[in-house]
Amino acid sequence: MALIWAFAVALLLAHNGYLWLVKGVVPDTDIMALLPVEQRDPVLQQAFTHMVDAAQQRVIVLVGADDWEHARAAADAYNAVLSKHQELLQTGVQLSEQNQQDWLAPSQQMRLSLLTPAQQTMLREQPPRYWVDTALQQLYSPFSGPKLGAWQDDPFGLFSGWVQARAQETPVRPRDGYLFVENKGRPYIMLLMNLQQPAFSMATQQAVLPLLEQAGKAARQAVPTVELISAGVVLHAGAGSAQASREMSTIGIGSLLGIVLLMWLTFRSLRPIGLIMLSIGIGCMAAFSLCWMIFGQVHLLTLVFGASLIGVAQDYGIYFLCSRVSVDPSLGSWQLLRRLLPGLVLTLAAAVIGYVGLALTPFPGLRQMALFSVLGLVFAWLTVIFWFPALLTANTLKSSSFAGWVGQTRRHWPLLGLNRGSAMAALLFGIFAVAGITRLTVNDDIRSLQTPPKALLADQIKLGKLLDAPTPVQFYLVRGASAEQVLQREEALKRRLEPLIAKHIISGYQAMSNWTPSMQEQAANRALVTQALLGADGPLKALAAQLGEDDSWVAQMRSRALSAAADANGGHDLTPAEFLKSAASEPSRHLWLGKVEGAKGSVYASIVALRGLDNYGYLPILKQAARQLDGVSWVDKVSEISSVLGHYRQYMGWVLLGAYAAIYLLLFTRYRSAAWRVLTPPAVASIATLAMLGLLGQPLQLFHVLALMLILGLGVDYGIFMQEQSMQRDRFAWLTVGLSAASALLSFGLLALSGTPPLHAFGFTMLIGIAIVWLIAPCFSQDSGPDPQQEKEEKNANKN
């Protein structure tokens, strides 16, 4: 069997080598992939990806100074550094007067079809005299606003007003070849850069972040008082990677050294450490390979949660090693294995039951986590069964004085029974548990799991306010059978959003229909302009009289306008497809999804993004605006992802309770009326942990519940080891529990020092729970009486 297992391990090693080195696998990081397939909306998923993909690769830097000349000098110095590294960061092309004019060309040809909601209202309500005065002001006043083309093309300023409305969608303006924004008289030049490599690649971060720092130094050297405001996913990813590296070098190395020291003190040999790492490594390789073959992908959270099997898988090896040094050397390793097999089978079965409960959930992510963990535990367990007896002979390991001392400490623990002390302890624990759990709150908000550096967060907030940029995580998704229907539904939505702008709930919105109204709307606009301004007795004729022109001039002006309308009516309407070919569409391309594949076939879709959303208390009002509008849905990815985490937390809670019940039935088959002694320590520890969280004011999250599942798996192992000691008078079971608990605390408890909230929550829960299980497990074991052989060897150990 050992040789057969060696062949199986060789296959696993080869497959892992192929996946990681040849295929170059990358774990899935999309948290929405954890949702049940029937609950996932493919169009919504594409919309969210469409919104964030471009932003993910973009870096924005605002270069601020007291005046324009200093801001430009600093921006030039900043750009000079970056221009030498276009293979890493592609900087934006400087603007010219020509390409600015080119932006307006497609819209200018269709000027009669483009009106703002305010212009539509004025055309219906204002008298002819108003329009005559407006035209005269456009002609004579130097303060009437920018002139876009000849006055004869737009005498009433409708197209100019429409362009100004589009310009109000962003405070960014062009000047001297740069884009800039102004705040309280202080200019900020905006530098847009696109990463040429993935933002989440550590190689990208290591190359780009020093380059940005070098560019910042150049800007400060040129203008010492310059203000630099930076934002980008790569900055946050780099900060997270740096924090992870620091924690790995402190927490990871510290826990590893602690475990090595424990093993050395116990066995005076490095071989046990190598054997345990071997079993865990084989378990992890098998879990990854088989999950990849079954699911075709492995999620990053699966790897994070699956790493917890290390804390459980090590118990099998530690139990065998401690038993090997405790029994009579004349007993062979295979005979020892047969003696330990019932307890080892129970520990594996109990762990598998807990994880199988996850596999029965409707969440693909939990099923994948469950299968990964079960496979890892089974393969680690089989490694102990098939290889440890062959690799460890009776004389391989020797007991140490440290191991003997740990074994003696067991006698100092009190046993719970029907007495006054036990009743008092139960009462005090009950008061503590009730006081803590009644204060326990819940928080599934995904934002609570993120702690970006304060400087980056401050820059992000300030940049968002200066640019009045829309949020990529809250928006409206509009769908329809055609592009025309999507635009019409956008226009219906915008009519509901206009009152919200007036109430300052939002500052505005971005939509494709702002630039390319539906054909229905364009036709209605042309008809409205023709009726209100170009009629026989309309403002145009009154304007001619005011200017001293005759009827031929009126006919010429009317013909000039109506010819454009005729061309448009002849099939030249401005469409999203045509608009997206123009340079002017670049800032709005993320709003149009076009034809996409949905759950029920192909549909057309677009996004309406919101500006100025800085109060999350208004989210219900914005959600209400989409009610009963065909094809319009409100998207709040923060709430959606938080809801996913909440579902996981609740489901995991029920799975945890079911696991306790199933494991009790399993334990009852061997221990009968003593089964409660095995299960009570992890249950008490879990209740105490929840109470502690409540008293400390820490809200319950998914990662706390995941840790409670691991506390159950480890705690049951400790209970089984202690109960087996009572049945077989195995005097080294307490040493097994101590080594396993100390290793788990070093492996997971030190994560409580992490600055990453999910890891901190997991580590803090493990720290409290495992420590309590370790402390109380002996109190629930049965007293099997003194072992003469044990007392004799302990006396010899004391002498040594």
Side-chain angles (χ1 to χ4, degrees), residues 612-633:
L613 177 58
D614 53 9
N615 187 340
Y616 292 110
Y618 292 142
L619 293 181
I621 299 175
L622 294 169
K623 184 178 181 180
Q624 183 68 28
R627 291 279 174 84
Q628 298 180 345
L629 279 180
D630 290 339
V632 180
S633 55

Side-chain angles (χ1 to χ4, degrees), residues 320-388:
F320 186 90
L321 292 171
C322 291
S323 299
R324 177 67 277 177
V325 300
S326 69
V327 300
D328 187 348
S330 62
L331 185 67
S333 290
W334 293 105
Q335 293 173 308
L336 173 63
L337 177 64
R338 283 193 291 273
R339 175 186 293 184
L340 301 179
L341 203 54
L344 285 171
V345 169
L346 270 182
T347 57
L348 177 64
V352 168
I353 285 175
Y355 289 120
V356 165
L358 296 183
L360 301 178
T361 67
F363 297 102
L366 286 183
R367 288 201 293 267
Q368 191 180 100
M369 292 178 191
L371 184 62
F372 188 97
S373 299
V374 168
L375 290 172
L377 291 178
V378 168
F379 274 75
W381 188 88
L382 290 174
T383 301
V384 172
I385 298 300
F386 292 148
W387 278 4
F388 276 41

Side-chain angles (χ1 to χ4, degrees), residues 521-533:
E521 184 79 358
Q522 292 184 49
N525 287 342
R526 290 191 295 267
L528 181 59
V529 173
T530 302
Q531 179 183 358
L533 301 181

Side-chain angles (χ1 to χ4, degrees), residues 237-258:
S241 298
Q243 178 175 313
S245 298
R246 290 193 301 269
E247 291 178 355
M248 284 178 63
S249 61
T250 53
I251 299 174
I253 295 176
S255 62
L256 179 61
L257 291 177

Side-chain angles (χ1 to χ4, degrees), residues 748-768:
F748 302 112
L750 286 180
L751 290 178
L753 302 177
S754 172
T756 306
L759 296 181
H760 170 77
F762 188 88
F764 184 73
T765 307
M766 289 295 297
L767 182 65
I768 298 175

Side-chain angles (χ1 to χ4, degrees), residues 532-549:
L533 301 181
L534 305 180
D537 297 319
L540 188 60
K541 187 172 184 179
L543 177 62
Q546 190 78 22
L547 296 175
E549 301 286 351

Side-chain angles (χ1 to χ4, degrees), residues 489-500:
R489 289 174 172 178
E490 276 192 13
E491 290 158 354
L493 172 63
K494 292 192 301 184
R495 287 191 286 272
R496 291 193 178 184
L497 295 180
E498 287 295 329
L500 303 184

Side-chain angles (χ1 to χ4, degrees), residues 93-105:
V93 180
Q94 287 200 333
L95 303 174
S96 66
E97 291 295 331
Q98 182 59 43
N99 59 33
Q100 291 180 47
Q101 290 297 326
D102 292 343
W103 285 4
L104 298 176

